[in-house]
Amino acid sequence: MTAHASVDGIMARLTGMVGERATRAPGVLDGHGRSEAYHAPRPPDVVVFPDDADEVRRIVRLCAETGMPIVPFGAGTSLEGNAAALDGGLCLDMTRMNRVLALNAEDMDVRVQPGITRKQLNAQLRDTGLFFPIDPGADASIGGMASTRASGTMAVRYGTMKDNVLALEVVLADGRIIRTARRARKSSAGYDLTRLFVGAEGTLGVITEVTLKLHPQPEAIFSAVCAFPDLKAAVDTAIGVIQSGIPVARIELLDAMMMRGVNAFAKLGHREAPTLFFEFHGSPAGVAEQAGLAQAVAADQGGLGFTWATTPEERSRLWQARDNTLYAGLGLRPGARAMVTDVCVPISRLTECLSLTARDIEESRLIAPVVGHVGDGNFHLLILIDPADAEEIARAKAFHGRLVERALALEGTCTGEHGIGVGKIDFLEQELGEAVDAMRAIKQALDPHNIMNPGKIFRQHAGEGGSRR
């Protein structure tokens, strides 16, 4: 924790810069020390709400001068302690920087401040015929989504944040402001700095603008659910749809336990069986053809028939239920905390990975509903634990370790979209080995005094002790 005498002096200078938008109110600090992650809360020493990039630049220069750590903060929906203030310091809450700065409808791109959320952005795009498709479930901020390389339910068709961020404006650790690229859809000009900062979790700089690709709003949208006799049949259907080249927009898996939670939480009446949620985008004839092909694949695997959501209200209710699986899962065990994690494997290995995982859950005597973006091999578990039961927590952590080892053995990754944060540091070392040393070298070059979100992604020096939680 930063010495309070130092914080007092810095706070006085911050107040001179931004007035009451710098605060040490205990409730504000506590709110910025926690997220939806299961990791222990770690509040900052001060929270500042900047209005623009120039204020961010001046604040960062002050922190560089004084050695105060900086933790950027968006909507607080991260799941691996990505925005926990491990060393105290200053939290930059970007929520006031939530404007659309420039819309280029002809080029299908938009430049925004990082604090705008995906729903706020799409609300402002509604009358343009364009939309931004990346949907991680939570109404996350665009800056946070870029920082964690988010993806979500529509990544199978539209890609992830790394595919949809054209350029960034970033404040570096010494206060310099850089732009990583122009608006051109492709470039061979130097290092790809945009993708360096996308996924860096605020450890290399503070994102102050994001230029995004937009996509045409589909003329027609069909959504449906289909239950299956077992998990294997559902996963094999998802794989079959992808391998058949059907351009599905979303294909999501909920296991039987998660369907029970969703039915109770969202007042739905679907079968409590492994279920796929589908969505198809395109022309009316095109989506009808896509849906018919997907139905045929599902029928071959014993699918129990499609139930359609045809009106916008029905589709919204269906996908809102999918987006609220965290809260639906928690309802399965009142009073529990959710250890939420994700892995991703090549889709050809997904059935094997999920089948072994389901067996491991049962043998571990854990309640851990599954939800997955199975179209790209990514799935999540909500491991529901009693926070007062040390033995159960130990079982859950051991299971989590086996889950990641299984994904790595199947040529997958320890995280498809949550990021590393503080929770998966050891797993990143297992996954990439000496490549992590290259990351350390980049960090040292851009942030030599380690003030940018310290303690995230990797330890500053190889061989340091375990991650703080």
Side-chain angles (χ1 to χ4, degrees), residues 378-397:
N378 182 204
F379 67 93
H380 310 256
L381 289 99
L382 281 65
I383 310 170
L384 302 178
I385 53 177
D386 179 351
D389 188 335
E391 187 275 334
E392 184 176 60
I393 292 172
R395 268 191 288 124
K397 288 183 176 179

Side-chain angles (χ1 to χ4, degrees), residues 315-332:
R315 290 198 305 271
S316 177
R317 188 179 180 210
L318 180 67
W319 290 105
Q320 187 172 21
R322 161 60 188 87
D323 287 347
N324 285 326
T325 48
L326 172 58
Y327 309 108
L330 287 170
L332 292 166

Side-chain angles (χ1 to χ4, degrees), residues 157 220-226 237 241 245-251 278-299 305-310:
R157 175 153 182 170
I221 301 174
F222 286 7
S223 294
V225 297
C226 181
T237 296
V241 167
I246 301 168
V248 63
R250 307 198 231 200
I251 182 166
F278 292 91
E279 188 163 279
F280 307 94
H281 291 179
S283 67
V287 293
E289 181 183 18
Q290 295 168 33
L293 293 170
Q295 282 182 292
V297 175
F306 276 36
T307 301
W308 296 98
T310 55

